[in-house]
Amino acid sequence: MRVFLAVAALVAVASAASLSLEDLEFHAWKLKFGKIYHSVEEESQRKLTWLTNRKLVLVHNMLADQGIKSYRLGMTFFADMDNKEYRKLFASCLRSLQQNKAHSATTFLRQTLPKGYFTDIKDQKDCGSCWAFSATGSLEGQTFRKTGKLVSLSEQQLVDCSGDYGNLGCGGGLMDQAFEYIKANKGIDTEDSYPYEATDGDCRFKPDSVGATCTGFVDITSGDEKALQEAVATIGPISVAIDAGHSSFQLYESGEHHSPVIGQDYWLVKNSWGLDWGNKGYIQMSRNKDNQCGIATAASYPLV
């Protein structure tokens, strides 16, 4: 038995010795994000892309360590995708915004949030429902501002039920159209009563489980960061549209995004890609820098 165990141990050591640091890091990354590939060929291709992104991250962070870059990159959930595939993955998220306001198809809805008004970080997963998360996030904040109670609201209800208002579920939508639906519907259910499923489904709204109502919405002057700043300071959470198609968003980890100077004014933006993206789900975006990534282009908030 001792001989067998010794041989097994030697085999294990030999196998580990044959693995490179990159192999071990890739394996650990797959375990962290639950990545499963359908063939050896797919895994091989994904690993090559992952290695390319790893080099990008390492070089960028070397510059960050020297103070040349103000933010850091990391091996996020999207690290096995090239930027073209990453853009395509969420291209439908704001399809309506692209059509109605000539905005980029890679623009995502996020929220600029003060402290105390927001629920925990959520994860939209493989569904173009960013618009629904932005709508619930700002409505959660406004409801808290009015009632003092912070209640997580149902993105799934917006995905399933607001099609008549121009939204396309996991195929994209707009926060203003979500607010219109909530107003007409006389409310939106709580997250607990109508949990998120990351897929299109039949509407299952329960009138007795309403967590918030909405009487309308206000659009902030397009492109006006001062107006957005005033709204955040006096109103609270604001839904915004941003272009998140750059590799710096795909692999963002922490720091002030696209700022040449560390410590300048920034927006604190809540994402819906889970806690493992960015700084525990958040990103700092430069403020008063030519409307960076269109952050003030399509901002709005609900009335409660």
Side-chain angles (χ1 to χ4, degrees):
M1 179 62 72
R2 290 180 180 177
V3 174
F4 175 78
L5 291 175
V7 172
L10 286 173
V11 171
V13 171
S15 297
S18 67
L19 296 174
S20 66
L21 176 61
E22 290 83 0
D23 291 330
L24 294 173
E25 287 184 4
F26 182 62
H27 182 66
W29 176 85
K30 287 193 301 176
L31 290 176
K32 177 180 179 179
F33 291 105
K35 292 280 186 171
I36 299 175
Y37 303 116
H38 300 294
S39 67
V40 174
E41 292 76 14
E42 181 188 3
E43 177 156 349
S44 178
Q45 184 57 52
R46 291 294 181 186
K47 183 178 179 182
L48 288 175
T49 302
W50 185 91
L51 289 170
T52 298
N53 283 327
R54 181 178 181 272
K55 292 178 182 178
L56 186 156
V57 168
L58 289 174
V59 171
H60 178 96
N61 288 345
M62 287 174 62
L63 297 176
D65 290 339
Q66 298 173 40
I68 298 174
K69 297 288 186 179
S70 61
Y71 61 99
R72 299 181 66 82
L73 301 181
M75 302 305 287
T76 68
F77 177 86
F78 308 107
D80 62 348
M81 303 177 189
D82 61 33
N83 187 250
K84 183 178 180 180
E85 181 185 9
Y86 160 78
R87 285 172 174 264
K88 185 177 180 181
L89 182 64
F90 293 107
S92 65
C93 196
L94 287 183
R95 184 178 297 161
S96 297
L97 185 61
Q98 180 189 22
Q99 293 170 349
N100 296 340
K101 299 185 180 179
H103 213 55
S104 169
T106 56
T107 299
F108 289 73
L109 289 176
R110 299 292 177 258
Q111 308 153 45
T112 306
L113 297 171
K115 293 182 179 180
Y117 280 65
F118 47 93
T119 55
D120 293 339
I121 291 293
K122 302 180 184 183
D123 189 351
Q124 69 188 73
K125 301 181 181 178
D126 190 13
C127 171
S129 55
C130 57
W131 57 276
F133 283 84
S134 184
T136 59
S138 54
L139 183 54
E140 287 164 353
Q142 290 305 305
T143 301
F144 173 80
R145 178 171 177 256
K146 180 178 180 179
T147 67
K149 296 180 180 180
L150 184 62
V151 179
S152 185
L153 302 175
S154 175
E155 295 80 22
Q156 191 63 46
Q157 180 183 337
L158 296 179
V159 169
D160 293 343
C161 306
S162 65
D164 289 345
Y165 294 81
N167 295 322
L168 303 175
C170 286
L174 283 175
M175 67 268 198
D176 285 0
Q177 293 168 177
F179 297 146
E180 289 175 350
Y181 160 74
I182 296 169
K183 176 183 177 181
N185 192 60
K186 295 181 172 54
I188 179 173
D189 284 346
T190 65
E191 192 90 59
D192 288 342
S193 65
Y194 201 150
Y196 186 64
E197 299 172 346
T199 186
D200 295 318
D202 296 329
C203 184
R204 304 183 301 280
F205 168 64
K206 308 178 192 68
D208 58 349
S209 298
V210 166
T213 58
C214 172
T215 61
F217 61 89
V218 174
D219 285 332
I220 296 171
T221 303
S222 181
D224 190 339
E225 283 195 77
K226 288 185 179 179
L228 177 58
Q229 181 179 351
E230 181 179 354
V232 170
T234 60
I235 301 298
I238 306 296
S239 290
V240 298
I242 59 175
D243 180 357
H246 305 287
S247 59
S248 56
F249 267 86
Q250 178 182 352
L251 303 170
Y252 174 79
E253 182 176 81
S254 63
E256 200 166 316
H257 184 260
H258 276 178
S259 168
V261 180
I262 296 175
Q264 76 170 38
D265 294 340
Y266 64 84
W267 300 107
L268 179 61
V269 182
K270 182 184 181 185
N271 204 336
S272 54
W273 290 345
L275 288 168
D276 290 319
W277 179 88
N279 187 4
K280 296 182 179 179
Y282 290 86
I283 181 172
Q284 296 171 220
M285 292 183 60
S286 297
R287 183 157 58 86
N288 300 324
K289 189 186 176 186
D290 300 322
N291 189 24
Q292 184 195 13
C293 299
I295 191 167
T297 299
S300 67
Y301 60 89
L303 298 172
V304 297

